[in-house]
Every structure is written in C-alpha cells, then in structure tokens.
Amino acid sequence: MTQTDLQEAYYQMVLIRRFEERAGQLYGMGLIGGFCHLYIGQEAVVVGIQMELKDGDKIITSYRDHGQMLAAGMNPRGVMAELTGREGGYSHGKGGSMHMFSREKNFYGGHGIVGAQVSLGIGLAFANKYRNTDEVAVTYFGEGASNQGQVYESFNLAALHKLPCIFVIENNRYGMGTSVERASASRELWRNGEPWGIPGFHVDGMDVEAVRHAAHEAVAHCRAGKGPVLLEVDTYRYRGHSMSDPAKYRQRSEVDEMRKNHDPIDRVRRELLAMGTTEDELKSIEAKVKAIVTDASDFAQTSPEPDPSELWTDVLVES
C-alpha cells in the first residue's frame, strides 16, 4: 500500500475502534438496549476488503455489524442514533444494533439469525449477475456460523451458477463462548468450499495489507465471471461476544497478548511512522475521529425517540 492508502486505512480503523468504544460506554450507561456486539480488534478485516470494492458492490453481514456500516460510508450519526433507538437512526429507532440497512450504501444488514445472511448474500450476487453487471456481493459470517447447513447450500448454489460472491469467514476463534477447536472438525475453514470447486484463501486478519491483497484477488476473480471465492480471515475480538458476555471462557493473558503484539491499528501506525508520517499527522487523524464520534454520540442522545405511530409503519412495503 502507498502511504496515502495506509493513512486512509488508519483513519477508517481508528474510526471503527473509537465508535465502538463509545457504543460500549453508552451501553453501560443504559442508553443502548438489547444486544450490542462490538467489532473492536477486527477492524482490519472490513477496512482491507472495503478498499477493493467500488460503488454498486453489495455488503451483507451478521449482527457484529457496526464496523461494516462505517466502512461502507454510512453516517456515524445515523448508526449511533439507531443504537440508542432514536428517530434519527437508519431504521428510525426501530431496528437497533442488529437491524440497520442502507440501500444508498448497498449495505443490506445486520442479521441476528446465525448464518442466515449467507443465503441472502448469494441472492445479492444473483441479482448482480442477472443484471449483467460486474458488481460483487461480499457476505461476512463468523467461524461459528461456518458449519450451518444453509452455508453449504449457499456454496452449492453459488458455485453452480458461478455467482460473483465473496464469502468471508471472520474467524475470531470463539463462536459466542465456544472455541473453534471444540466446535469444528474442519480446522482449515478456507477449504470448506472445495467440494464445490470454490477457491479458498487463508488470510491474516490482523494485517490490513494482507486482507486488501486477498480481497484484490477475490474481487478480480468474481468480476471476471469465474464464480465465488472463500476467504478465511483470522482475526480476534477483544471484547466478549456481546456486551453481556463476561468472556470467562478465555484467559485475560490471551487477550492482552493479542492487543500487545498483534493489534491491527498499532501495526499500521508503526508502518506509517516508518514511512515518514509524523506524530502530529497521526494525532490530527485521531482528533478528526474523536470529533466525529463525539458528534455522533451527542446526536444519538438528543435525537427524539420515534413517535408511537411508527409501530405501524414499515410492517409491509409494497414493491
């Protein structure tokens, strides 16, 4: 990556990190209800992939979705306001953390049912092919969802119809509170598409440059009409599965080791300094991010709650 690319990646990752930290604080204050799954530690995955996408490419993911929203260009104000259940949110305060969409940014959720978004993702890819575009659909899911039946059914259909779909397994080691070693007989998840002839790649998800390189190859494969690709991206979440998870299934020393030696933001920071970016320039990026997150937080707390009449809207939308 060029220095400019790395600066942009640094900005995007810091934005996701600070946004999620603030969301965690608001949850602790009782201003965010329901479930709240934070993306802290996994920032390099979505940022690296997003850097290879273009306008028109589709994105769909699971409930750990705020990072994907921000990387797709969705307004932090609207995302945070939806988390707090306010009228100014992307779903007008009725969807919360797991149910936000933006057709403008081609972001199709946010899905709370484990693995369900994979089947929807190949639908997005089918629409791209049907319309005869070269657009791709990126479908994110975790290693905990990787052995769901609908995932393999989706692999079959995507391969059969050569759909332009990039399947991204965000392997953060723990599906809720269960380690992947205890849950999956397959230890090389990137090979799970082999029975259908889907090429797979294993990627260091704590290195944004490695992720972008893998995404470049995958996107080129799909745009050329060669069908789907599977990426297993090894990453790590620093917080629990959700804000209500005490994460007692892993040692604190494990988390500390990942933060100290493998943090994706620290890695980019070191590379930028080595390239000649100054501390002041990095502080300027961080100050910009702080202002954006503060503004989003203030907006989310002052935006009015939805009117009770909103209970009866968006129940059915005519096509």
Side-chain angles (χ1 to χ4, degrees), residues 52-289:
E52 287 297 320
L53 302 185
K54 68 174 186 177
D55 289 343
D57 292 334
K58 315 296 191 298
I59 306 162
I60 193 167
T61 188
S62 68
Y63 40 74
R64 198 177 308 281
D65 50 6
H66 316 147
Q68 275 86 350
M69 295 172 191
L70 296 175
M74 291 171 64
N75 192 322
R77 276 187 163 199
V79 178
M80 194 72 86
E82 188 59 40
L83 294 179
T84 57
R86 302 305 177 98
E87 186 179 70
Y90 268 97
S91 297
H92 308 298
K94 298 184 293 181
S97 175
M98 295 190 285
H99 304 287
M100 278 184 262
F101 304 81
S102 173
R103 291 186 67 181
E104 177 191 6
K105 298 298 182 182
N106 289 302
F107 179 82
Y108 290 86
H111 294 271
I113 299 175
V114 176
Q117 74 277 11
V118 182
S119 301
L120 299 176
I122 65 167
L124 295 171
F126 179 82
N128 290 338
K129 183 172 182 178
Y130 184 80
R131 292 168 182 151
N132 198 29
T133 73
D134 69 344
E135 295 162 0
V136 304
V138 181
T139 303
Y140 294 90
F141 55 105
E143 84 291 339
S146 64
N147 288 309
Q148 290 278 326
Q150 68 264 34
V151 172
Y152 292 110
E153 292 180 40
S154 298
F155 286 173
N156 177 62
L157 284 172
L160 182 65
H161 296 286
K162 291 190 179 299
L163 300 181
C165 186
I166 302 173
F167 298 104
V168 181
I169 301 176
E170 294 190 88
N171 185 354
N172 62 22
R173 303 189 190 182
Y174 298 95
M176 295 188 71
T178 304
S179 68
V180 66
E181 287 81 7
R182 294 178 57 209
S184 179
S186 169
R187 300 299 169 80
E188 296 178 307
L189 304 181
W190 58 275
R191 301 183 66 176
N192 283 11
E194 286 184 352
W196 297 273
I198 300 175
F201 302 93
H202 186 239
V203 188
D204 180 358
M206 306 303 274
D207 181 347
V208 71
E209 293 184 269
V211 176
R212 185 181 183 183
H213 176 74
H216 178 82
E217 298 296 322
V219 168
H221 181 94
C222 287
R223 295 208 203 282
K226 297 179 180 179
V229 178
L230 174 63
L231 304 179
E232 179 191 356
V233 188
D234 279 345
T235 184
Y236 197 83
R237 56 171 167 80
Y238 295 163
R239 302 290 183 91
H241 171 72
S242 70
M243 286 297 296
S244 60
D245 173 19
K248 293 182 179 179
Y249 43 82
R250 61 185 182 184
Q251 296 295 319
R252 183 67 208 177
S253 59
E254 177 183 302
V255 181
D256 291 342
E257 196 276 333
M258 290 299 295
R259 277 186 176 272
K260 180 180 179 181
N261 297 317
H262 303 282
D263 186 82
I265 295 176
D266 286 347
R267 183 196 295 252
V268 173
R269 198 176 199 281
R270 289 193 298 270
E271 290 184 18
L272 283 171
L273 290 171
M275 284 180 163
T277 301
T278 66
E279 288 280 2
D280 285 344
E281 288 175 306
L282 293 176
K283 288 179 180 178
S284 177
I285 293 172
E286 292 156 9
K288 179 181 178 181
V289 166

Side-chain angles (χ1 to χ4, degrees), residues 283-299:
K283 288 179 180 178
S284 177
I285 293 172
E286 292 156 9
K288 179 181 178 181
V289 166
K290 182 179 180 180
I292 291 171
V293 172
T294 298
D295 174 73
S297 176
D298 291 344
F299 178 78

Side-chain angles (χ1 to χ4, degrees), residues 7-43:
Q7 287 175 344
E8 177 62 20
Y10 184 76
Y11 164 75
Q12 293 290 345
M13 288 195 289
V14 172
L15 175 61
I16 294 170
R17 177 75 58 91
R18 299 296 174 252
F19 183 96
E20 293 288 66
E21 289 171 346
R22 185 57 179 154
Q25 292 169 357
L26 294 180
Y27 186 95
M29 295 164 61
L31 296 174
I32 294 176
F35 292 102
C36 186
H37 305 83
L38 302 182
Y39 203 66
I40 297 172
Q42 300 185 207
E43 297 88 355

